[in-house]
Amino acid sequence: MSAIKRVQKLLLQAEKRATANINLEDTRKNEKQILDELSKVSEKREEVFVKATGRAIEKALNVAKWFEEKGTEYTVRVNTGSVVVVDDIVEDEEMKAKEEQKRQRQEEQTPADQGDAASKPESKSAAKKRKRQAAAVEDDAELPESRTRWIKMVEVAVSLK
């Protein structure tokens, strides 16, 4: 409801801005001229946009549904699509140091445990985990500063009729 009330408030402010220049008490203009000015205002209606991505898409569509149910007062237009977002990648130095210490401890324990490892077969998941850790150790390449990806987006445009 908070989003709905905010949209209503913005639409009322837009309506005030549109009709602010019309003087209804102007004696030099007849009723027809005033009505013409009011009809010109209705032609250039401002829209309030509600844009959402991810989990908020459902909430934006609920807002659109609410305004559509009030069809006599509001016009609703819904657009869907994708949008590019940029993620900044920041390396956590503490986590990197902890991983390094953990890897060193594992390397120290590995030579002593090799005799035991020859007698026991290693499970597939343990083998995969060991390979991933070895690849991570070898791949100490620099992380990119940012990356881009496409995410789904919905845009709801609401205006007064």
Side-chain angles (χ1 to χ4, degrees):
M1 269 321 272
S2 64
I4 292 169
K5 288 185 179 193
R6 191 175 312 144
V7 169
Q8 287 176 325
K9 182 180 174 183
L10 291 169
L11 286 171
L12 287 175
Q13 290 174 353
E15 186 72 15
K16 285 179 184 177
R17 281 193 304 272
T19 58
N21 294 335
I22 299 173
N23 188 359
L24 298 176
E25 284 99 28
D26 191 359
T27 56
R28 292 176 278 155
K29 296 180 184 176
N30 61 19
E31 290 178 21
K32 186 178 183 210
Q33 290 172 332
I34 293 173
L35 286 174
D36 287 340
E37 285 182 14
L38 287 173
S39 66
K40 288 178 186 175
V41 167
S42 66
E43 290 173 3
K44 50 183 176 181
R45 294 273 183 208
E46 288 187 41
E47 292 179 321
V48 174
F49 291 94
V50 178
K51 295 183 181 185
T53 61
R55 293 182 188 167
I57 288 175
E58 183 180 358
K59 188 172 185 177
L61 291 176
N62 287 337
V63 169
K65 182 180 175 185
W66 190 91
F67 280 108
E68 276 186 354
E69 289 174 356
K70 310 284 186 211
T72 58
E73 300 175 47
Y74 303 101
T75 304
V76 179
R77 197 170 33 90
V78 178
N79 295 326
T80 60
S82 297
V83 65
V84 176
V85 294
V86 178
D87 295 327
D88 292 332
I89 299 173
V90 179
E91 194 170 357
D92 188 0
E93 294 297 328
E94 283 183 31
M95 186 68 126
K96 189 175 180 181
K98 287 179 183 177
E99 290 290 327
E100 183 68 31
Q101 290 173 355
K102 186 177 177 182
R103 192 178 74 229
Q104 286 176 355
R105 276 187 258 135
Q106 286 177 349
E107 287 175 0
E108 290 171 2
Q109 292 175 358
T110 305
D113 295 338
Q114 283 182 356
D116 295 337
S119 63
K120 285 195 248 176
E122 189 175 28
S123 68
K124 288 183 181 180
S125 62
K128 285 182 182 179
K129 187 175 180 181
R130 188 174 43 79
K131 285 180 184 177
R132 272 190 241 121
Q133 287 176 347
V137 169
E138 293 171 8
D139 188 29
D140 282 337
E142 289 292 318
L143 288 174
E145 289 183 17
S146 64
R147 69 174 179 171
T148 59
R149 59 189 170 102
W150 289 88
I151 59 172
K152 294 177 182 151
M153 176 268 308
V154 68
E155 175 183 81
V156 177
V158 182
S159 64
L160 291 170
K161 280 192 175 178

